[in-house]
Amino acid sequence: MHEDTNDDGRSSRGVEQGDREFLSLERELTVLLRRARANQGEMAREVHPDLESAAYGLLVRLEECGRQRATELAAYIGVGKATMSRQLRALEQLGLVARAPDPADGRAWLVDLTEEGRSRVSRVREARRERYVSTFSHWDRTEVEELARLLHQLNRGMEK
């Protein structure tokens, strides 16, 4: 199907001829993000039935990076200190994280996964990895690697 363009280079729908790829990108990212939010909620419930969806990323960060200050976690996740404190209290009540005084600064606390939290997060992440292996089994491994590289590039660019 061919769209008519106006004198200013816009299609009859008001889209720049050279911007179609960005509209396609926006559409595909919207679908991806919607599915990712739904998957994150499922994974959170697999870790613990009472776990908030947003807290799953926090647990993954702790599994990958080890103990951290709440302020570092808040900055990474992109939430305020009050929100982070609320999430950490909920995770502590579920037995998934524990806080301990920071030996480098007695005023600060370090947050880490409990053994129970580490076990649950690892189990869910392994199941997710297996789903990815199955989902992408028909892809060449270099394509999977390229997708990961491009997503990393996208994520780094969005941090700025």
Side-chain angles (χ1 to χ4, degrees):
M1 180 172 157
H2 180 280
E3 288 189 14
D4 295 327
T5 58
N6 300 331
D7 292 337
D8 64 359
R10 291 185 172 274
S11 72
S12 56
R13 289 187 164 162
V15 177
E16 293 283 341
Q17 289 298 314
D19 288 345
R20 290 182 198 278
E21 63 274 14
F22 292 103
L23 287 174
S24 293
L25 175 63
E26 188 270 339
R27 180 179 48 255
E28 297 304 326
L29 283 175
T30 298
V31 171
L32 177 67
L33 293 173
R34 180 178 42 80
R35 288 183 178 154
R37 277 190 297 275
N39 286 338
Q40 182 171 325
E42 290 172 17
M43 289 181 289
R45 285 185 296 282
E46 288 176 28
V47 170
H48 193 286
D50 297 328
L51 183 65
E52 288 184 27
S53 176
Y56 179 78
L58 181 60
L59 296 175
V60 169
R61 178 68 174 184
L62 288 170
E63 184 193 37
E64 290 179 347
C65 299
R67 63 186 189 162
Q68 296 184 353
R69 288 183 178 185
T71 53
E72 293 171 316
L73 291 168
Y76 175 77
I77 301 292
V79 299
K81 288 168 53 176
T83 300
M84 182 55 56
S85 291
R86 183 185 59 76
Q87 285 185 344
L88 290 175
R89 270 193 309 280
L91 291 171
E92 279 182 300
Q93 290 171 351
L94 296 174
L96 301 174
V97 302
R99 293 190 232 197
D102 184 346
D105 181 354
R107 300 168 297 163
W109 292 84
L110 292 173
V111 180
D112 201 359
L113 291 172
T114 62
E115 285 305 313
E116 179 69 16
R118 189 169 312 286
S119 171
R120 288 175 178 243
V121 171
S122 293
R123 186 179 68 245
V124 171
R125 291 190 81 195
E126 178 59 22
R128 180 174 58 167
R129 188 197 61 77
E130 288 174 8
R131 284 192 301 263
Y132 287 151
V133 168
S134 175
T135 299
F136 293 100
S137 63
H138 65 285
W139 286 38
D140 185 275
R141 290 228 175 208
T142 58
E143 292 175 318
V144 175
E145 185 177 41
E146 179 67 2
L147 176 60
R149 186 190 69 75
L150 290 170
L151 288 171
H152 177 76
Q153 184 177 332
L154 174 66
N155 288 327
R156 292 293 304 254
M158 295 179 114
E159 287 176 3
K160 298 174 183 178

